[in-house]
Amino acid sequence: PAALIVTMGLCLAALAVSVAAGVGLSGQLPSPSASYVINSVLWVCLAEAVLCVIAVGLGSLTGSRAASLTVLIGWQLIGGRLLAMISFLGSVRDVIPNIALGALKPGHQLPDNNGLTMGAGAAVVILALWLLTWLAVGAWRTRTRDA
């Protein structure tokens, strides 16, 4: 819970600056609508919460924050995107968290989804499985480490 509180605090502060800049600096261009801003803020908070839970579970499993964060950053920036581009994997690529998060994103599709689309229900199920898996792994490792 502490990791989520810190992550959400920093995320909301950054989003406040971003929204203020988007509205305040729009000039002659149309400002984003309130519903789009709210949906985008909720989506970014969801994405950050998912990554935070995965990071905590992975950190608990490995016993090293630095190594687990390095692996997670590598997965997010390189591994997941490369797997999404391998077309012979077919619909198996839908289990990649970036693809599931992209299905829930408001506005235009993310460019790294490589044309993969899924329903919102499937995306929620996939993200829930990722969250539950890493919560269970982290809890198991924390419990067995203290024993």
Side-chain angles (χ1 to χ4, degrees):
L4 279 174
I5 291 170
V6 171
T7 299
M8 288 300 110
L10 293 171
C11 181
L12 290 172
L15 286 168
V17 171
S18 177
V19 169
V23 172
L25 300 175
S26 64
Q28 301 294 334
L29 299 173
S31 296
S33 67
S35 65
Y36 181 74
V37 169
I38 291 169
N39 289 336
S40 297
V41 166
L42 291 174
W43 180 78
V44 169
C45 288
L46 170 70
E48 291 302 315
V50 167
L51 290 176
C52 177
V53 169
I54 292 171
V56 169
L58 184 61
S60 178
L61 179 66
T62 63
S64 170
R65 285 180 290 180
S68 61
L69 288 178
T70 302
V71 168
L72 186 59
I73 290 169
W75 167 257
Q76 280 298 109
L77 295 178
I78 300 168
R81 292 179 180 184
L82 286 176
L83 283 176
M85 291 191 305
I86 301 173
S87 60
F88 73 83
L89 293 175
S91 62
V92 173
R93 299 177 291 173
D94 288 345
V95 300
I96 300 170
N98 286 354
I99 304 300
L101 285 168
L104 299 174
K105 180 187 167 301
H108 299 293
Q109 183 179 357
L110 291 172
D112 64 345
N113 277 6
N114 297 305
L116 295 171
T117 58
M118 72 173 67
V124 169
V125 168
I126 288 169
L127 291 175
L129 288 173
W130 274 90
L131 290 173
L132 291 174
T133 300
W134 284 106
L135 279 172
V137 167
W140 167 79
R141 181 63 179 138
T142 299
R143 190 177 61 248
T144 58
R145 182 180 305 157
D146 293 339

